[in-house]
Amino acid sequence: MSDDLPDKFDLIVIGTGFPESCVAAAASRIGKTVLHIDPNEYYGGVWASFNLESFCALLEQGGNKELRNASQKWHVAETLKVAEAESDTVAGETNIKTDAAKQNVLDWSRETLLQQSRRFNLDLSPKILYSAGRLVQLLVSSNICRYAEFRAVDHVCTRFQNNIINVPCSRSDVFNTKDLNIVEKRLLMKFLTLCMTYGEDKTDEDALQFRGKTFREYLQEQKVTEKISICVMQAIAMCNDDTSFEEGMARTQQFLNSLGRYGNTPFLFPMYGCGEIPQCFCRLCAVFGGIYCLKRQIDDINIEADTNIASVVLEGKTIKAQHVVSAPGHLPNAFLQRNVGVYGQAELVNSLSRGIFLSATPLGSEELNSGGGGVNLLRLLAGTQEAILIQLSHFSGTCPKGVFLFHITTTAQSDQPAQDLAPFVSQVFNPDDENAPKLLYSAYFTIMGRERTSATPNVDVSTTIFCTSTPYYELDYDKSIISAREIFAKLYADAEFLPRAPDPEEIVIEGEDPRALSENSLPDDLREQLRELENSAENMDIEDTDAAQAGECTQEDAETQNMDAD
Amino acid sequence: MHGRLKVRTTEEERERKKKEQTLKVKAYRAAMAKIQEKRRLQQLDDEMLVLTSQILLRNPDVSTLWNIRRECVEQKSLNIDDVDQRQAIYDTELNFSEQCLLVNPKSYNGWHHRCWTLEHSPTANWEREVMLCSKYLKMDERNFHTWDYRRYVVEKARTSKQNELDFCTEKIKANFSNYSSWHHRSLLLPQLYPYEGDAQPKRAMNEEKLKEELEMVLTAAFTDPNDSSAWFYQRWLLGYSRQELDVCAFRCDNNRAVLSFTNPIILTEEDVVITDSKGNIKKKITNWKSINGAKSDTTWFCSLNGDKVLEHINDQYLLELHITDINVKQITLKTYKQSVYFFKPPNQSFTFTENVLNELQTQLESCESLLEYEPDSKWTLLTSALLMRAIGSQKYHDKSLKYLGKLEKVDILRENYYRDMASKWILEKYLLDWTSSEDFPGKLDLRNEEHLNAIFYPQYLCIADIVLVSEKLNHYSDKKQLQGFIAFKL
């Protein structure tokens, strides 16, 4: 190894997925020395985003330890020329049904899509953030948000009588929607207002009356219409028939609390894909001194019996660390075979069946995709199973203009993701439906899940090695954050988890007197003006009290007038 | 701690802010002093423009500096003949005020300076200003300064009114809690869709459009019944406009005459003539006196000193009016004892066409269904009551008063407002009923109306010989005027 790494760290983190990056940033932030390694040549592990070419390549090679059962299919011709020839000569054999769709599909070929490969950011684990959710709160409170950019989700949709309709989220949505009559509008608003204030009064009658009942029963009691009930159940509370009243209410409140913050809906999507999120944490870690090494294999980890210090063998070199945190798939085999106790080492559970689809047309009506479409969220149901569909347009920075990217995620029922997803795919990409988007490309894979079971055997309190969890089936990052915080709390019991990082202007350069204010900190024109006028001002009798008043005028007059005008 | 970050403590930060503030104050005072000195010397040059802009960019609300700037601009453009060069000076001002408005989008001075600049510049690009307004209203759709300015530039740019209405609709769709936008609408609609029917009082716009607007406003009301902006717009739509000028009441015998109007007017000598049925002038009444001694009043009286105006009391007498603002020119008078009179009870209900009436009925039904869900909703109760009055004040008299009674309880802060409104409606009904009573028009007995807390239409009472009021009304604050009437006996 050519680079000159220190031979001792407080913490070594293996894997740059979301929970690992979270722990690495938090440790670095409180002054711990951190070495962050990833065996892959890219950041993010199963949380990464890929351009189209690398994504296809990854699937081509059959995935890896964490991504399995990969398959992909091109629904367009190799090149445009061939496509034209084909449609002219053997039109009957193609899957293209309508002229309009034909035209759209014909705009693309495998070649033209791959030419734009770098415009794609295909997420392995796509997520949608609640505007007031745990991740957004963490990004804001830790000041990590300065590294990220977001797009407010444009529409939350639901399926009603085989149509995809917009779920009115905000007050103006309710006002504008043609899907509800005025009485329904009132009922919906009233119901949502009720949910907002629910729980403020501890002796709430509903709380007692519906304890142990389902949220659906509660909705029925509110005498709302079928349409409203579907909107609330499927898209707002995102619950099933057997979801408890308390849970449904909590989710509705989470939805409502996130409203009115950034956009028309309560959700955000990270620009350029969710792969950005772990990298934001890595960046903070690096700012506070964390060292990054990608494409490095860990050969082995040894634990000194008396001190519990880990010796990590990194491509022949031994580095010592107080603790090691690793993504589930990255612990070296040699180490695993010795069967040492690892906190959080988990069984294969909670795998996710994933589908990624490209189309030249968006899903749903023009109204849902005005101005070229944005980010739409749709929760799909099939029997007792559910799936989350995220539609992305080029405005999200995840695909080129003219292409729409669809992510469908559901919990894995088998090792055949295409089969798991089939009941949902058929609802939105039904080839017999003229209005359904025509696919250009589709891919299926399984994200292998490993979750920590609550009681992990063979682990004593002084354990050195910790294992994180893979992505959960959830819209936001809540469970992953909880799990990362849990590990951090085990490592550094009394330390604060990601306190606010200072902005550059708050940072004092070493040797600088923090109280000193030089003219240099003034804006250019003001400084110039000050210098120029200093001489003429010397002759004037300026008393400090007067000056203070004048100062108030300049600063506060504008504010006062603002308020007056309001 | 080598290589570790040190972050300022809040104490240090406060200290730093204070220092910065002191420096800024020093700079501000120095610049102001220099500006004043230069102005005294009438040095309205480029340096002056720079100095004023440095301050205005930080605080765009110093009117003096804007005035000085205008002096500078005038001075500067004075000796320049080239149009482009002169335009360049004004363009600089436009850009400058735009920057200032970004600092404070509600700066009266900033907006005014733009108007001034555009008015004085050789060529003004009004379309650009309309676009600027759209941009600003995207950032804050409720800034009434921008809406005001928009109306001004739209007029100049001759933008189509339909475009403006569409723009307005977009803004209301985005957020209907927007008085400015509703107001903008209320100015555009009567011009775009003028009313051409002959219902009185005149409708605000043609009935088809009115119907659409009512539907839209009801949707807003159902979405959020507590938002007052939509309800206010609805009240405007339903035409609670000022009552038009008309004659309320007239009575005359050989000794005295009294004449009253819906609104105050200035009555002059040539205005009123009494004729008989053949058109012979019996009396030209000239010496009118206002009941309050005011120049303009609703109620006027005069002494006729036994002029024998009414020689044959059973004859048909007519009242001729020569008042420009009143459509009615001739009124047939009725006889009561030894006097003649005319009486038109106050505004009972609006004469709507079938079309609008049906729409009002629908609106009322919707409000009633809204009340099922929100029995205590203030705006819904009030609107229902007003709708009932509009549809049929007689038919819904009791019910509308019941709603006002409820409003007194749910909106206790405005309890007296509702009481006054109830008094008004009660009196309206009472005056109507009075016309068919035996005592009419000699005696008006209001003693049994326990909910009558105020007298809203004193001008209608003037034809009575006696007005009997309850103890409560004797303490009515406007007693002076009321007593004037009671004392007035023919």
Side-chain angles (χ1 to χ4, degrees):
Chain A
M1 240 175 76
S2 58
D3 45 23
D4 189 16
L5 282 176
D7 52 12
K8 221 171 102 192
F9 283 91
D10 291 328
L11 174 69
I12 294 180
V13 180
I14 309 163
T16 52
F18 176 76
E20 301 91 70
S21 307
C22 223
V23 175
S28 172
R29 179 68 188 87
I30 57 164
K32 304 291 171 189
T33 52
V34 177
L35 175 65
H36 202 169
I37 304 159
D38 198 314
N40 297 315
E41 58 186 354
Y42 52 85
Y43 279 93
V46 283
W47 306 78
S49 308
F50 290 91
N51 65 39
L52 187 58
E53 212 175 315
S54 349
F55 180 74
C56 292
L58 179 69
L59 264 57
E60 192 66 36
Q61 70 178 45
N64 51 34
K65 246 197 272 183
E66 302 143 305
L67 187 152
R68 297 182 197 168
N69 313 324
S71 66
Q72 55 183 325
K73 186 179 176 188
W74 290 94
H75 303 261
V76 285
E78 193 77 28
T79 63
L80 269 185
K81 225 173 180 179
V82 178
E84 273 161 357
E86 245 179 34
S87 64
D88 285 346
T89 53
V90 280
E93 283 174 27
T94 59
N95 278 334
I96 301 155
K97 298 281 181 211
T98 66
D99 284 351
K102 193 157 86 183
Q103 197 52 51
N104 281 326
V105 173
L106 283 181
D107 287 344
W108 296 101
S109 69
R110 179 174 175 167
E111 189 187 51
T112 54
L113 281 166
L114 283 170
Q115 270 165 8
Q116 303 243 38
S117 167
R118 290 167 66 89
R119 298 213 176 268
F120 285 95
N121 281 300
L122 304 171
D123 287 325
L124 298 185
S125 306
K127 298 278 176 191
I128 292 280
L129 279 52
Y130 278 97
S131 299
R134 223 177 268 270
L135 181 61
V136 173
Q137 280 177 32
L138 179 63
L139 291 173
V140 172
S141 67
S142 64
N143 213 2
I144 294 176
C145 52
R146 55 165 46 245
Y147 304 131
E149 239 182 295
F150 295 89
R151 179 177 175 98
V153 170
D154 295 81
H155 295 282
V156 178
C157 313
T158 191
R159 266 167 60 89
F160 180 71
Q161 293 168 350
N162 285 328
N163 286 319
I164 293 166
I165 63 165
N166 181 35
V167 173
C169 292
S170 62
R171 203 176 72 139
S172 58
D173 272 0
V174 175
F175 174 61
N176 292 322
T177 181
K178 300 258 187 295
D179 292 325
L180 303 174
N181 66 36
I182 53 172
V183 172
E184 283 179 317
K185 288 180 183 198
R186 181 82 294 263
L187 285 171
L188 180 59
M189 286 297 284
K190 197 175 161 69
F191 177 76
L192 296 179
T193 318
L194 187 78
C195 292
M196 278 289 269
T197 53
Y198 173 82
E200 282 173 13
D201 182 4
K202 293 291 175 208
T203 57
D204 198 304
E205 282 176 26
D206 288 348
L208 300 171
Q209 196 191 335
F210 288 94
R211 189 171 292 166
K213 294 194 176 171
T214 66
F215 190 64
R216 180 160 192 91
E217 284 171 307
Y218 176 70
L219 258 172
Q220 277 161 350
E221 192 68 22
Q222 304 304 313
K223 298 187 185 70
V224 296
T225 59
E226 176 65 12
K227 201 182 250 177
I228 293 177
S229 173
I230 283 177
C231 285
V232 174
M233 289 284 292
Q234 281 190 197
I236 294 176
M238 298 197 206
C239 56
N240 303 317
D241 282 352
D242 52 359
T243 307
S244 74
F245 163 69
E246 287 85 359
E247 168 101 40
M249 184 56 89
R251 289 196 203 170
T252 308
Q253 289 191 324
Q254 186 179 19
F255 184 97
L256 296 174
N257 287 333
S258 291
L259 268 178
R261 286 175 187 258
Y262 301 109
N264 206 35
T265 67
F267 300 113
L268 295 175
F269 180 79
M271 285 295 290
Y272 316 111
C274 296
E276 294 291 308
I277 299 291
Q279 291 190 53
C280 293
F281 284 86
C282 292
R283 191 162 170 191
L284 183 83
C285 177
V287 165
F288 282 87
I291 294 176
Y292 278 77
C293 293
L294 294 184
K295 219 179 164 184
R296 292 292 151 83
Q297 290 297 335
I298 310 285
D299 305 326
D300 200 358
I301 304 172
N302 295 301
I303 296 173
E304 288 173 23
D306 47 346
T307 56
N308 261 335
I309 285 178
S311 299
V312 176
V313 187
L314 182 69
E315 292 180 357
K317 180 176 175 170
T318 302
I319 302 169
K320 287 186 192 303
Q322 298 283 336
H323 300 285
V324 173
V325 171
S326 173
H330 292 325
L331 286 172
N333 283 330
F335 167 77
L336 289 173
Q337 276 156 14
R338 285 197 294 278
N339 205 17
V340 181
V342 170
Y343 177 85
Q345 190 174 14
E347 294 301 304
L348 263 175
V349 283
N350 288 346
S351 294
L352 301 174
S353 286
R354 292 270 298 110
I356 289 183
F357 308 88
L358 299 179
S359 160
T361 44
L363 187 60
S365 63
E366 169 60 32
E367 187 205 348
L368 291 174
N369 297 289
S370 55
V375 180
N376 289 357
L377 174 66
L378 172 64
R379 186 165 163 268
L380 294 166
L381 296 175
T384 55
Q385 296 301 311
E386 62 161 83
I388 296 164
L389 181 146
I390 302 168
Q391 172 191 297
L392 301 165
S393 77
H394 74 280
F395 290 115
S396 64
T398 56
C399 56
K401 202 172 178 181
V403 174
F404 292 86
L405 164 61
F406 301 89
H407 287 288
I408 308 186
T409 311
T410 189
T411 48
Q413 303 298 310
S414 67
D415 56 5
Q416 293 175 45
Q419 186 186 310
D420 289 351
L421 288 166
F424 306 109
V425 173
S426 65
Q427 289 179 35
V428 284
F429 303 131
N430 182 358
D432 297 330
D433 180 358
E434 281 192 11
N435 297 319
K438 297 291 172 291
L439 295 181
L440 307 173
Y441 170 82
S442 58
Y444 294 97
F445 54 92
T446 306
I447 298 281
M448 304 310 286
R450 276 172 212 266
E451 195 189 350
R452 199 157 58 231
T453 42
S454 51
T456 314
N458 307 330
V459 177
D460 58 56
V461 275
S462 58
T463 188
T464 309
I465 316 285
F466 293 80
C467 207
T468 57
S469 304
T470 54
Y472 292 89
Y473 179 76
E474 59 176 346
L475 199 59
D476 203 342
Y477 289 83
D478 288 15
K479 285 183 185 167
S480 301
I481 292 173
I482 292 170
S483 129
R485 287 191 81 138
E486 204 179 295
I487 291 175
F488 181 77
K490 295 271 180 209
L491 295 176
Y492 312 110
D494 299 321
E496 195 183 344
F497 182 73
L498 287 170
R500 185 177 176 279
D503 287 324
E505 56 273 24
E506 297 165 330
I507 294 167
V508 186
I509 309 299
E510 225 172 328
E512 182 195 42
D513 174 8
R515 276 178 201 80
L517 175 82
S518 63
E519 283 175 10
N520 295 330
S521 61
L522 285 173
D524 282 350
D525 64 329
L526 193 64
R527 187 172 65 229
E528 211 170 281
Q529 181 194 327
L530 186 70
R531 284 224 185 104
E532 195 182 306
L533 292 169
E534 220 150 45
N535 296 334
S536 58
E538 256 169 24
N539 302 329
M540 286 184 285
D541 181 26
I542 303 167
E543 281 175 35
D544 268 356
T545 47
D546 283 0
Q549 277 166 8
E552 273 165 30
C553 282
T554 52
Q555 291 296 304
E556 283 164 25
D557 249 14
E559 282 166 32
T560 325
Q561 293 210 8
N562 261 341
M563 278 152 60
D564 287 347
D566 210 330
Chain B
M1 287 299 285
H2 195 81
R4 286 280 146 192
L5 293 170
K6 187 177 186 312
V7 177
R8 274 181 224 284
T9 61
T10 43
E11 185 59 38
E12 288 166 358
E13 184 64 18
R14 207 177 299 127
E15 189 72 13
R16 200 182 70 90
K17 280 257 163 68
K18 210 175 144 188
K19 283 236 165 114
E20 191 181 289
Q21 182 78 352
T22 321
L23 273 176
K24 276 187 180 170
V25 167
K26 224 170 144 188
Y28 172 79
R29 288 189 57 92
M32 276 307 255
K34 182 144 190 200
I35 288 169
Q36 274 156 8
E37 177 64 14
K38 278 178 76 74
R39 175 139 200 282
R40 201 177 57 78
L41 299 169
Q42 282 295 300
Q43 293 174 354
L44 302 167
D45 50 14
D46 282 351
E47 190 193 20
M48 190 67 135
L49 283 171
V50 172
L51 285 170
T52 50
S53 55
Q54 279 168 343
I55 295 181
L56 288 172
L57 272 175
R58 290 183 176 78
N59 175 16
D61 295 288
V62 191
S63 315
T64 312
L65 296 185
W66 286 107
N67 286 335
I68 292 173
R69 253 191 115 75
R70 283 191 281 273
E71 285 179 351
C72 291
V73 171
E74 278 180 338
Q75 181 78 36
K76 205 173 162 184
S77 59
L78 205 61
N79 304 318
I80 296 173
D81 292 330
D82 183 62
V83 173
D84 289 344
Q85 277 182 32
R86 277 180 56 203
Q87 182 61 35
I89 298 171
Y90 288 95
D91 283 345
T92 315
E93 287 308 289
L94 274 185
N95 290 335
F96 177 68
S97 61
E98 193 174 331
Q99 283 175 46
C100 290
L101 287 170
L102 286 173
V103 177
N104 177 13
K106 292 185 175 179
S107 163
Y108 283 89
N109 290 305
W111 288 108
H112 173 67
H113 192 71
R114 275 194 98 70
C115 297
W116 181 88
T117 309
L118 288 161
E119 294 279 0
H120 287 76
S121 66
T123 54
N125 185 348
W126 298 104
E127 283 79 17
R128 183 184 169 273
E129 294 306 297
V130 177
M131 272 156 67
L132 185 88
C133 286
S134 303
K135 192 173 131 195
Y136 272 46
L137 288 171
K138 198 171 179 182
M139 293 191 261
D140 177 5
E141 76 269 12
R142 304 209 288 193
N143 187 346
F144 68 81
H145 296 259
T146 322
W147 282 102
D148 239 13
Y149 183 69
R150 188 180 177 91
R151 273 189 288 278
Y152 164 73
V153 294
V154 154
E155 196 67 34
K156 297 279 187 183
R158 299 178 194 284
T159 309
S160 101
K161 294 213 158 36
Q162 188 59 49
N163 277 355
E164 275 305 284
L165 186 68
D166 293 346
F167 177 79
C168 214
T169 310
E170 276 310 305
K171 290 291 151 203
I172 285 171
K173 277 186 170 176
N175 178 10
F176 63 81
S177 303
N178 188 338
Y179 280 102
S180 299
S181 187
W182 289 116
H183 175 62
H184 199 64
R185 237 182 142 65
S186 75
L187 295 175
L188 290 165
L189 285 166
Q191 298 180 52
L192 273 169
Y193 302 94
Y195 177 72
E196 273 148 8
D198 40 44
Q200 287 292 332
K202 270 194 159 181
R203 316 304 310 135
M205 67 197 80
N206 86 33
E207 296 192 351
E208 199 54 38
K209 194 70 197 169
L210 184 66
K211 217 172 140 176
E212 274 176 39
E213 292 296 300
L214 283 169
E215 264 170 40
M216 176 159 152
V217 95
L218 201 68
T219 310
F222 268 71
T223 307
D224 185 356
N226 295 324
D227 188 274
S228 51
S229 65
W231 291 112
F232 271 95
Y233 182 62
Q234 190 206 38
R235 281 177 89 163
W236 176 78
L237 286 173
L238 293 177
Y240 300 96
S241 52
R242 273 169 59 115
Q243 197 169 8
E244 284 180 30
L245 181 64
D246 201 357
V247 180
C248 300
F250 172 76
R251 193 167 169 199
C252 162
D253 62 8
N254 285 332
N255 295 314
R256 300 178 95 170
V258 61
L259 175 62
S260 68
F261 301 90
T262 51
N263 299 327
I265 68 161
I266 300 168
L267 204 58
T268 57
E269 295 190 345
E270 285 78 32
D271 289 343
V272 186
V273 176
I274 294 179
T275 66
D276 63 17
S277 53
K278 297 182 194 79
N280 300 320
I281 293 177
K282 301 307 288 183
K283 176 74 188 172
K284 195 168 186 177
I285 305 173
T286 51
N287 54 338
W288 288 112
K289 279 185 189 135
S290 145
I291 197 106
N292 290 321
K295 197 177 174 196
S296 168
D297 205 341
T298 56
T299 314
W300 299 80
F301 71 98
C302 72
S303 167
L304 300 173
N305 306 322
D307 255 2
K308 299 264 185 235
V309 178
L310 314 168
E311 276 174 309
H312 310 287
I313 198 64
N314 291 327
D315 270 9
Q316 179 81 73
Y317 289 95
L318 297 168
L319 184 68
E320 272 187 22
L321 295 167
H322 306 284
I323 300 166
T324 354
D325 296 339
I326 297 180
N327 292 328
V328 186
K329 297 297 174 202
Q330 204 170 53
I331 294 166
T332 308
L333 298 171
K334 288 178 181 164
T335 310
Y336 174 74
K337 291 183 179 164
Q338 290 305 308
S339 65
V340 289
Y341 74 95
F342 167 78
F343 186 75
K344 191 176 173 187
N347 218 2
Q348 282 301 306
S349 66
F350 301 100
T351 44
F352 291 112
T353 59
E354 195 73 4
N355 204 355
V356 177
L357 214 53
N358 287 340
E359 177 55 33
L360 293 183
Q361 196 70 47
T362 320
Q363 295 257 317
L364 178 60
E365 279 158 22
S366 305
C367 280
E368 297 269 320
S369 68
L370 183 52
L371 281 173
E372 280 173 34
Y373 304 107
E374 315 278 326
D376 293 341
S377 164
K378 161 189 159 178
W379 289 102
T380 321
L381 281 165
L382 183 59
T383 306
S384 304
L386 291 170
L387 281 166
M388 286 187 239
R389 298 285 302 173
I391 296 165
S393 57
Q394 291 282 26
K395 184 177 158 198
Y396 288 111
H397 184 73
D398 292 340
K399 197 169 177 190
S400 57
L401 286 178
K402 200 182 101 196
Y403 278 25
L404 288 186
K406 171 117 198 195
L407 278 163
E408 279 177 41
K409 291 190 190 72
V410 298
D411 187 16
I412 202 134
L413 283 175
R414 274 157 286 269
E415 165 186 47
N416 286 325
Y417 171 77
Y418 301 118
R419 279 197 191 145
D420 281 2
M421 193 177 265
S423 297
K424 191 171 168 183
W425 294 354
I426 289 168
L427 190 61
E428 280 180 16
K429 172 138 178 6
Y430 205 87
L431 290 172
L432 184 71
D433 292 347
W434 186 38
T435 57
S436 51
S437 85
E438 286 175 14
D439 297 332
F440 180 74
K443 185 172 136 194
L444 181 65
D445 188 351
L446 296 170
R447 286 175 304 178
N448 294 328
E449 287 298 332
E450 54 168 331
H451 293 296
L452 192 66
N453 295 303
I455 299 212
F456 267 90
Y457 299 106
Q459 68 264 49
Y460 289 88
L461 272 45
C462 67
I463 63 165
D465 298 321
I466 280 185
V467 177
L468 299 168
V469 292
S470 63
E471 193 64 24
K472 186 161 62 176
L473 282 176
N474 249 336
H475 294 97
Y476 177 54
S477 59
D478 206 6
K479 210 156 103 187
K480 185 187 154 205
Q481 210 186 14
L482 188 62
Q483 276 172 346
F485 294 117
I486 296 166
F488 184 78
K489 288 193 178 119
L490 287 164

